[in-house]
């Protein structure tokens, strides 16, 4: 038996916009709006309006989560639900009531709620009015929203995270066109990355100013750390991997944990004339407001090679002038989602955090496997036999366990996701949950992996 540390978080993660449904929301977030104007951008034209109906069925849903043995669940509070007046930061009473009930229900069921404040779901008005995260004013509005959430729920929620995967906002909205507004603008991407970091540090400052850290509370950030592996030992590939690591990982990891940006990255951005704009006081804000803990989302490794074109090629600045994706021949794939499966990366991440990031307490805040048409795997009793998911989780847990044995300060593992939820433009194409969801009837059924996970959490280990 591979035992895990006492009080290990065995859980799963979701987010407000992907589970609740749009019911009773005053504001539209970026995705609500995008679906309004371009439903065909979403798989089968399924939008976020109903999602998994958590707004109406949270009690039943949480009871199911308890049945699969989860002792902790991460979700997010939607800015576009909680706040009525986005400038004055007044709260919406129905939203306060809803989130109070959800948090209380988690606690009554013995499930620790971990709350994220921003999961790709900026209120779209703030994008149209100010350019969203391009603007420092929006950073301050976010801190106002965070303050309301801390004041309202901080007595019961003891673990907060500022952003979920802020790099996805940079990539999806400003570089690679997979999230509205689908821009390709390297300079704006750089500024957005900076402002997201600043928003996190300022929200952390606010949390501490309210004294919630003295009351057993902690605040962190969730980053998608897909380690960078170079295609070869050649100097050019190694150089490409170095920049990719700086851009994809260290740009968020270093400010969050060390309180400043990597000098090497700043040098490149300065040399290329795309360096972010800062204010005098920012350095001190970053320095003083590093995270208490780190959430790591890991799905697939990032393999890179030297780009085919020279870095000084003519054209607008994009980070990909320094690296290209590398498709490693013979890689093991989850073909449905198009992601490589490489469980050892979890160990590499744990050791990297141990050695280079103060061995800060952390947990795997998302890991998982999106599989299409899971009805293929239904048995006669109507249960999905997702043995591939059990194997996937097991393999990742084994590597995580090795990392912990070697001194990594890891305190939990969360699967994406408890109940199949709405996945942005993929909608319900790929399913990730321990619990399936028939989106036409909203009937939710525990999969084989959910039953299996209950055993793991009960014995706090893997047989
Ligand atoms: C993570 C996000 O990147 O991956 C989730 O935090 C997302 O919000 C999950 O749903 C799965 O990715 P996808 O593309 O299948 O939605």
């Amino acid at each position: 038996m591979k035992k895990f540390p006492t009080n290990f978080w065995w859980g799963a993660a979701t987010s407000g916009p992907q589970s609740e449904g749009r019911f009773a929301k005053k504001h539209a977030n970026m995705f609500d709006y995008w679906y309004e104007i371009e439903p065909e951008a979403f798989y089968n034209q399924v939008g976020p309006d109903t999602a998994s109906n958590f707004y109406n069925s949270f009690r039943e849903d949480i009871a199911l989560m308890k049945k699969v043995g989860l002792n902790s669940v991460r979700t997010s509070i939607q800015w576009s639900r909680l706040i009525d007046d986005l400038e004055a930061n007044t709260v919406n009473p129905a939203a306060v009531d809803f989130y109070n009930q959800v948090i209380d229900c988690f606690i009554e069921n013995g499930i620790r709620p971990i709350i994220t404040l921003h999961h790709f779901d900026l209120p779209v008005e703030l994008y149209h009015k100010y350019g969203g995260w391009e603007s420092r004013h929006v950073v301050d509005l976010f801190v106002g929203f965070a303050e309301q959430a801390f004041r309202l729920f901080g007595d019961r929620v003891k673990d907060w995270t500022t952003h979920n995967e802020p790099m996805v906002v940079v990539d999806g909205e400003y570089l690679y066109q997979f999230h509205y507004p689908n821009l390709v603008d390297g300079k704006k991407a750089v500024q957005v990355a900076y402002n997201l970091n600043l928003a996190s540090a300022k929200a952390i400052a606010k949390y501490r100013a309210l004294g919630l850290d003295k009351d057993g509370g902690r605040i962190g950030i969730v980053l998608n750390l897909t380690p960078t592996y170079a295609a070869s030992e050649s100097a050019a590939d190694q150089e490409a991997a170095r920049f990719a690591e700086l851009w994809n990982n260290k740009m968020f990891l270093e400010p969050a944990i060390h309180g400043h940006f990597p000098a090497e990255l700043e040098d490149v951005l300065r040399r290329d004339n795309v360096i972010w704009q800062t204010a005098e006081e920012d350095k001190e804000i970053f320095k003083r407001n590093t995270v208490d803990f780190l959430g790591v989302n890991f799905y697939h490794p990032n393999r890179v090679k030297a780009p085919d074109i020279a870095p000084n090629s003519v054209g607008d600045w994009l980070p990909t002038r320094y690296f290209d994706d590398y498709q490693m021949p013979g890689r093991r794939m989850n073909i449905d989602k198009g992601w490589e499966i490489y469980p050892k990366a979890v160990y590499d991440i744990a050791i990297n955090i141990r050695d280079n990031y103060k061995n800060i307490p952390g947990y795997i805040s998302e890991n998982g496997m999106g599989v299409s048409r899971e009805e293929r795997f239904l048995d006669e009793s109507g249960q999905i036999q997702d043995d591939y998911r059990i194997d996937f989780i097991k393999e990742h847990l084994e590597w995580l366990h090795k990392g912990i044995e070697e001194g990594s300060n890891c305190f939990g593992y969360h699967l994406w996701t408890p109940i199949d939820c709405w996945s942005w433009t993929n909608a319900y194409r790929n399913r990730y949950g321990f619990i399936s969801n028939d989106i036409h009837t909203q009937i939710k059924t525990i999969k084989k992996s959910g039953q299996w996970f209950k055993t793991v959490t009960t014995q706090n280990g893997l047989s």
Side-chain angles (χ1 to χ4, degrees):
M1 165 84 74
K2 285 189 160 71
K3 278 276 186 192
F4 282 75
T6 330
N7 299 325
F8 200 70
W9 287 3
W10 294 108
T14 184
S15 75
Q18 294 177 268
S19 60
E20 290 169 12
R22 206 176 154 175
F23 309 102
K25 269 204 327 171
K26 181 161 173 183
H27 302 283
N29 64 36
M30 299 289 270
F31 282 88
D32 296 330
Y33 175 78
W34 187 14
Y35 181 66
E36 278 173 21
I37 58 163
E38 203 189 339
E40 58 284 2
F42 296 78
Y43 182 72
N44 279 348
Q45 304 212 18
V46 173
D49 295 354
T50 306
S52 307
N53 197 36
F54 187 73
Y55 187 78
N56 300 304
S57 61
F58 68 90
R59 288 188 195 284
E60 295 80 0
D61 291 0
I62 291 173
L64 281 171
M65 296 180 204
K66 186 181 179 183
K67 265 198 172 162
V68 302
L70 309 187
N71 63 19
S72 46
V73 166
R74 181 171 67 98
T75 185
S76 68
I77 287 179
Q78 294 196 65
W79 188 350
S80 53
R81 182 187 291 291
L82 187 69
I83 300 298
D84 252 350
D85 181 327
L86 294 167
E87 298 288 341
N89 261 317
T90 53
V91 295
N92 179 289
V96 175
D97 191 41
F98 169 66
Y99 287 121
N100 268 328
Q101 289 188 52
V102 167
I103 289 163
D104 291 345
C105 186
F106 273 125
I107 295 170
E108 281 155 20
N109 281 279
I111 298 175
R112 183 182 192 110
I114 293 98
I115 298 294
T116 293
L117 292 165
H118 169 235
H119 197 125
F120 318 156
D121 60 338
L122 177 83
V124 75
E125 286 140 271
L126 300 182
Y127 176 72
H128 290 145
K129 217 164 154 190
Y130 302 113
W133 294 109
E134 296 158 41
S135 146
R136 284 180 77 99
H137 179 57
V138 169
V139 169
D140 291 331
L141 293 178
F142 171 74
V143 178
F145 150 61
E147 177 175 1
Q148 289 290 20
F150 297 149
R151 285 186 189 277
L152 288 161
F153 313 115
D155 58 333
R156 285 151 293 152
V157 175
K158 296 298 175 194
D159 307 278
W160 294 87
T161 73
T162 53
H163 300 299
N164 175 82
E165 300 189 352
M167 194 60 197
V168 168
V169 174
V170 178
D171 284 347
E173 297 184 19
Y174 291 90
L175 293 173
Y176 309 124
Q177 299 181 288
F178 56 89
H179 285 183
Y180 178 81
N182 296 302
L183 306 179
V184 182
D185 190 324
K187 195 162 164 61
K188 280 188 179 169
V190 167
Q191 191 62 50
V192 164
Y194 183 86
N195 288 350
L196 284 162
N197 273 297
L198 185 65
S200 181
K202 283 189 153 189
I204 293 172
K206 181 57 75 183
Y207 186 74
R208 295 190 180 137
L210 294 172
L212 290 163
D213 54 327
K214 302 202 176 57
D215 196 19
R218 297 190 301 176
I219 185 157
I221 192 167
V222 169
L223 301 179
N224 45 321
L225 296 183
T226 51
T228 314
Y229 299 101
S232 79
E233 292 297 316
S234 79
D237 286 343
Q238 293 292 322
E239 194 48 39
R242 224 158 73 103
F243 184 81
E245 182 69 15
L246 279 170
W247 174 259
N248 290 321
N249 295 334
K250 291 184 173 172
M251 185 157 70
F252 282 94
L253 198 49
E254 302 249 325
I257 295 177
H258 293 315
H260 56 78
F261 288 94
E264 255 185 288
L265 175 65
E266 286 186 312
D267 288 347
V268 176
L269 300 178
R270 203 169 290 118
R271 189 190 65 204
D272 290 355
N273 273 322
V274 290
I275 188 73
W276 37 57
Q277 288 183 354
T278 65
E280 194 58 33
E281 69 269 17
D282 295 356
K283 270 212 165 85
E284 205 52 28
I285 295 175
F286 283 120
K287 195 167 139 202
R288 288 178 187 279
N289 297 292
T290 54
V291 296
D292 297 321
F293 70 96
L294 180 69
V296 173
N297 291 357
F298 171 72
Y299 289 90
H300 60 88
N302 186 20
R303 297 193 189 275
V304 301
K305 61 180 168 72
D308 294 332
I309 55 165
N312 61 352
S313 300
V314 177
D316 289 337
W317 187 90
L318 289 174
T320 43
R321 61 170 56 192
Y322 296 114
F323 61 89
D324 247 356
D325 285 346
Y326 171 60
Q327 311 281 327
M328 187 180 72
R331 65 199 176 281
R332 180 176 162 209
M333 290 291 290
N334 167 12
I335 292 166
D336 285 351
K337 175 65 189 161
W339 280 344
E340 182 182 342
I341 299 176
Y342 187 63
K344 179 180 175 282
V346 162
Y347 168 79
D348 293 342
I349 295 170
I351 299 306
N352 181 28
I353 303 291
R354 183 194 71 186
D355 294 347
N356 301 311
Y357 295 94
K358 305 179 182 170
N359 205 7
I360 190 156
Y363 79 115
I364 299 294
S365 41
E366 287 181 27
N367 177 228
M369 196 184 189
V371 173
S372 306
R373 296 175 292 114
E374 279 202 305
E375 58 284 0
R376 281 177 285 175
F377 305 108
L378 276 173
D379 69 1
E380 324 70 62
S381 75
Q383 188 187 52
I384 290 169
Q385 301 297 300
D386 53 345
D387 295 84
Y388 45 84
R389 183 166 291 109
I390 297 175
D391 293 342
F392 179 96
I393 299 171
K394 244 193 217 161
E395 283 185 72
H396 284 80
L397 279 175
E398 276 162 5
W399 281 108
L400 186 63
H401 187 265
K402 183 170 157 58
I404 295 171
E405 275 188 328
E406 292 178 24
S408 150
N409 206 353
C410 171
F411 60 78
Y413 174 90
H414 277 193
L415 185 79
W416 182 266
T417 183
I419 299 174
D420 287 346
C421 67
W422 184 76
S423 242
W424 317 115
T425 54
N426 282 327
Y428 279 90
R429 187 178 66 193
N430 301 318
R431 305 300 183 99
Y432 289 83
F434 282 132
I435 298 160
S436 66
N437 183 13
D438 178 329
I439 58 167
H440 304 293
T441 60
Q442 292 292 337
I443 291 174
K444 293 160 183 167
T445 315
I446 296 176
K447 302 179 193 174
K448 185 175 177 185
S449 60
Q451 270 179 345
W452 168 79
F453 201 65
K454 168 86 181 155
T455 323
V456 176
T457 75
T458 311
Q459 61 196 20
N460 195 36
L462 280 180
S463 350

